Amino acid sequence: MVDYAKAPVAGAEARLQELGITLPPPPTPLGAYVEAVTIGNLVYLSGMLAVAGRETPFVGRVGVELTVEQGRQAAEVASLNALSAVREYLGSLDKVSRVVKLGVYIATAGDFREHPIVADGASEMLVNVFGEEKLSGRIVLGVASLPLGLPIELELVLEVDA
C-alpha cells in the first residue's frame, strides 16, 4: 500500500488509479430517498450499505455470524459505494475538499468490543483515496440490526469546493 502521509498531494481520482481501485456502479436508493443532498458546501450522503448492486455479500452481525475481518471488508465495500455515489453526484471525487464526518454503524451482539477495528476498514479506504490531510472526525456505534440484515451502514458528510 502507498504511504500517502509522505507522498505528494494528489487528487482523489489519481489516487484511485494509482491504487488500482475501480469503483462499483453507484448505488441506487432502496426506498423513497435520494443518495445525496447538498447544503451550502456540505454534501450529506444517505446511509451507504455493504451491497454489490442488489446483492448482499455480507449478512449478519459482526462477532456473531461474521468475523471482525469480514466486518472490515464490509466496511470497505460500503465506503467504495459511498465513493461511487459521491463521484456520480459531483462528477469527480476531486471536488471533495475535506471529509468532515464518518459515521459507522455496525450490527453486533451486545458484548462486542472491536468496533474501531471494523470501522477502520472504511476510514482507511477514505484516507487512501483522499489523503491524511482530509481525514475526518468519526463516530462508531454498535446497533442491534441494520437494513437487509447487513453488518455495516456508513454515514458520510463531505465539504466540497464552492
Side-chain angles (χ1 to χ4, degrees):
M1 185 175 297
V2 178
D3 183 359
Y4 285 108
K6 296 180 177 75
V9 176
E13 296 289 343
R15 286 177 192 245
L16 281 176
Q17 285 186 344
E18 199 173 303
L19 291 167
I21 296 173
T22 301
L23 294 180
T28 55
L30 300 174
Y33 61 91
V34 295
E35 292 293 338
V37 173
T38 300
I39 299 175
N41 64 338
L42 297 178
V43 174
Y44 295 82
L45 286 185
S46 292
M48 291 289 131
L49 300 170
V51 295
R54 295 275 187 189
E55 300 296 314
T56 53
F58 303 96
V59 176
R61 293 170 295 158
V62 180
V64 182
E65 295 89 3
L66 300 172
T67 66
V68 169
E69 182 54 35
Q70 288 172 313
R72 280 181 60 87
Q73 291 170 1
E76 289 175 10
V77 170
S79 66
L80 291 172
N81 285 332
L83 292 169
S84 182
V86 170
R87 178 195 268 167
E88 175 79 6
Y89 185 72
L90 297 175
S92 172
L93 294 175
D94 291 337
K95 293 182 180 178
V96 174
S97 56
R98 178 148 191 103
V99 180
V100 177
K101 181 181 177 187
L102 171 63
V104 183
Y105 301 87
I106 307 168
T108 67
D111 61 349
F112 187 76
R113 303 280 189 267
E114 298 179 74
H115 302 79
I117 296 169
V118 173
D120 278 346
S123 294
E124 290 169 5
M125 179 62 70
L126 295 174
V127 168
N128 286 338
V129 172
F130 292 115
E132 283 192 15
E133 67 278 3
K134 295 182 183 179
L135 189 61
S136 68
R138 178 173 93 173
I139 185 167
V140 180
L141 299 170
V143 298
S145 68
L146 289 168
L148 308 175
L150 297 175
I152 301 290
E153 185 166 1
L154 300 182
E155 175 183 14
L156 200 56
V157 179
L158 306 164
E159 181 183 45
V160 294
D161 294 326

